[in-house]
Amino acid sequence: GAGVSQSPRYKVTKRGQDVALRCDPISGHVSLYWYRQALGQGPEFLTYFNYEAQQDKSGLPNDRFSAERPEGSISTLTIQRTEQRDSAMYRCASSPRGQGAYEQYFGPGTRLTVT
Amino acid sequence: RKEVEQDPGPFNVPEGATVAFNCTYSNSASQSFFWYRQDCRKEPKLLMSVYSSGNEDGRFTAQLNRASQYISLLIRDSKLSDSATYLCVVNGTGGYNKLIFGAGTRLAVHP
């Protein structure tokens, strides 16, 4: 079946602009995660949802970052007033269950470049 | 100190070699442990979970030492297709769902 999809795949934006990154998880997956990955590093946890409820947002760097998953499926990560340091690969992952440790399936990512 | 530490490598090995990667983690309360594999410019994918008693999946063997907070991955009979970055992953504080990734160890297998 279809895997996790993300859009856009590439986004170039000017400093100060807002951006919205979209994640479409595997159908039926309860949990959805957002990560940020810098070159040469592993993914860094940002936030996650079970259904529509945001369970943990401790990894969001500051209040310019927010995420929502209003209907428990598609999620949007929004970065307001982008800065150059926000440039990175943003990855979304989903897993089939809300509790316990289950395999997380990653999407292809959105490469964000802030100029 | 990083929560998950790995030797970045690269490990350059010939086909058929046995190679081992190590990882240490700082949170003694972590309960879930994994190795993920990431190919160049691709997304990470689960390679295997790591269980307390150690576990094997074909050519891959994972070990966990809770006392030393140490995880290892052994790859036997390396293939060219094993060339990738191997990410050590543990769950962080706040539950099973929050995963903490190491920076990865790069493996290059050559003919």
Side-chain angles (χ1 to χ4, degrees), chain B residues 5 35 40 43 48 61 63 79 97-98 106:
Chain B
E5 299 213 50
W35 285 101
C40 189
E43 67 272 22
M48 58 195 302
T61 301
Q63 296 280 350
K79 311 290 185 193
N97 298 73
K98 181 177 177 178
R106 198 152 58 88

Side-chain angles (χ1 to χ4, degrees), chain A residues 26 28-32 49-52 69 72 95-99:
Chain A
I26 294 172
H29 275 197
V30 168
S31 298
L32 183 148
F49 295 82
N50 281 343
Y51 300 102
E52 72 281 0
R69 192 186 185 199
S95 67
R97 300 286 191 276
Q99 296 300 319

Side-chain angles (χ1 to χ4, degrees), chain A residues 33 37 41-43 45 48 56 58 91 98 100-101 103-104 106-107, chain B residues 2 32 34 36 38 42-44 46 87 96-99 101-103:
Chain A
Y33 310 83
Q37 187 171 19
Q41 298 297 313
F45 172 86
Y48 91 92
D56 186 333
S58 61
R91 295 198 183 274
E103 177 176 358
Q104 295 187 14
F106 281 82
Chain B
K2 289 183 181 178
S32 303
F34 308 92
Y36 273 70
Q38 186 168 23
K42 296 285 192 181
E43 67 272 22
L46 180 67
L87 301 164
Y96 291 106
N97 298 73
K98 181 177 177 178
L99 297 185
F101 285 75

Side-chain angles (χ1 to χ4, degrees), chain A residues 7 15-16 34-35 41 45 57 59:
Chain A
S7 60
R15 186 164 49 95
W34 283 101
Y35 293 87
Q41 298 297 313
F45 172 86
K57 56 181 181 178

